[in-house]
């Protein structure tokens, strides 16, 4: 997203760990995004349905209810043009991510997240 103005762009942050989710929300708000959040994949799908303005999704790989790769498959059925970036603190999680999607390793820095989009 280098060079792209972030003000007003809606993003969905999906993270099951509360403190990490709050950190992600704060990061994206500081960058000017309109931020929606969800604690797991099922909730994320409901948020996507309720907010058609969401253009981006930043999601953890390993979550209860629905893993990140499953979430993305379902989310793309709802919003085929959705841009997705995965995040994980587990190196082994990268084998669950389809090759066409970028991944940012936790702990992440704002620059790494923006470059991934």
């Amino acid at each position: 997203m280098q060079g792209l103005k972030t003000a007003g762009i809606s993003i969905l942050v999906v993270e099951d760990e509360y403190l990490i989710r709050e950190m992600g929300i704060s990061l994206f708000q500081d960058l000017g995004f309109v931020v929606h959040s969800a604690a797991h994949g099922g909730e994320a799908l409901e948020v996507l349905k309720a907010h058609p303005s969401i253009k981006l999704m930043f999601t953890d790989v390993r979550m209860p209810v629905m893993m990140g790769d499953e979430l993305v498959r379902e989310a793309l059925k709802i919003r085929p043009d959705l841009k997705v970036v995965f995040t994980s603190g587990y190196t082994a999680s990268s084998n669950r991510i389809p090759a066409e999607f970028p991944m940012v390793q936790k702990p992440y820095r704002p620059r790494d997240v923006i470059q991934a989009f």
Side-chain angles (χ1 to χ4, degrees):
M1 287 198 136
Q2 246 173 340
L4 181 63
K5 294 179 183 176
T6 59
I9 296 174
S10 292
I11 188 168
L12 174 56
V13 175
V14 189
E15 171 63 58
D16 59 307
E17 293 187 40
Y18 175 78
L19 291 176
I20 296 173
R21 185 173 61 250
E22 289 300 310
M23 183 183 76
I25 291 168
S26 179
L27 165 84
F28 287 110
Q29 285 175 333
D30 288 349
L31 292 169
F33 288 91
V34 173
V35 182
H36 302 272
S37 67
H40 57 76
E43 184 178 359
L45 293 174
E46 293 304 313
V47 172
L48 273 176
K49 290 174 187 172
H51 299 280
S53 63
I54 295 172
K55 303 289 184 220
L56 310 170
M57 183 166 64
F58 186 64
T59 183
D60 194 10
V61 176
R62 298 173 59 112
M63 297 181 290
V65 181
M66 182 182 294
M67 296 292 273
D69 59 324
E70 298 169 287
L71 165 60
V72 169
R73 276 195 300 276
E74 295 304 313
L76 291 173
K77 290 177 185 175
I78 297 167
R79 193 85 39 76
D81 60 341
L82 186 68
K83 291 188 185 224
V84 177
V85 172
F86 285 95
T87 185
S88 182
Y90 302 97
T91 307
S93 294
S94 62
N95 64 356
R96 290 194 66 101
I97 300 171
E100 67 268 23
F101 298 104
M103 185 178 101
V104 176
Q105 192 71 33
K106 290 178 188 175
Y108 46 81
R109 296 174 300 198
R111 179 182 69 224
D112 297 333
V113 174
I114 291 300
Q115 287 176 346
F117 279 108

